[in-house]
Amino acid sequence: MRGFIVKSSTWGDEVCRVGMEGEYSIGINFNVSRLGETYWGLGGFKMPEKHHWTWKGGSLRVGDVVEVEFADFKEATPPVAVELDTCSSVNNDKMDPEMVQVLLEEYESLKRLLEQAGIMGKDI
């Protein structure tokens, strides 16, 4: 399979092979927020299952090194998380009750984070 072989100074000697079989997309994101927070992550989207796969990542500090090689390999590192995509499953006519529950739990979790950060009041 084709994918990325990733090494990071934050992992020690560990190597992560990011890839999957079948219909998919994978990517590496590096972010610096307007508040100066820096983070990165390895992920992908698997079709037709509509699952988000997450491998490794984390915070970055000045001096950290991330090496990426595009390669063919036989076996990928297992992802640390596989989650159902909640966005692509929304249907205007009818929503699966399980999906409604997933979306509600996601909303409640994000709302708690915003309340704890003082960004959103509890009355909303």
Side-chain angles (χ1 to χ4, degrees):
M1 77 182 68
R2 285 189 166 177
F4 302 110
I5 298 174
V6 182
K7 300 174 191 171
S8 171
S9 61
T10 60
W11 303 340
D13 293 332
E14 190 176 343
V15 173
C16 188
R17 287 176 175 75
V18 180
M20 56 179 89
E21 296 286 351
E23 224 180 305
Y24 66 90
S25 65
I26 55 174
I28 303 171
N29 293 309
F30 291 88
N31 298 284
V32 178
S33 77
R34 63 186 173 100
L35 301 174
E37 299 163 331
T38 56
Y39 54 95
W40 71 290
L42 306 169
F45 188 71
K46 178 95 165 131
M47 291 294 288
E49 298 89 346
K50 297 181 181 173
H51 285 147
H52 286 283
W53 289 29
T54 304
W55 282 273
K56 302 203 39 126
S59 298
L60 288 169
R61 293 184 220 15
V62 173
D64 286 344
V65 176
V66 178
E67 296 178 34
V68 179
E69 176 186 349
F70 180 64
D72 282 317
F73 43 87
K74 291 186 191 280
E75 190 173 323
T77 303
V80 295
V82 176
E83 299 172 334
L84 180 63
D85 176 46
T86 56
C87 295
S88 65
S89 300
V90 174
N91 182 329
N92 291 334
D93 298 332
K94 187 171 156 183
M95 286 185 66
D96 175 34
E98 288 181 35
M99 182 56 62
V100 171
Q101 186 61 36
V102 168
L103 291 170
L104 182 60
E105 289 171 8
E106 206 170 275
Y107 165 77
E108 292 294 335
S109 173
L110 292 171
K111 182 179 174 195
R112 275 191 301 278
L113 287 172
L114 292 171
E115 288 170 355
Q116 290 169 355
I119 297 170
M120 181 174 168
K122 293 185 180 202
D123 56 339
I124 296 176

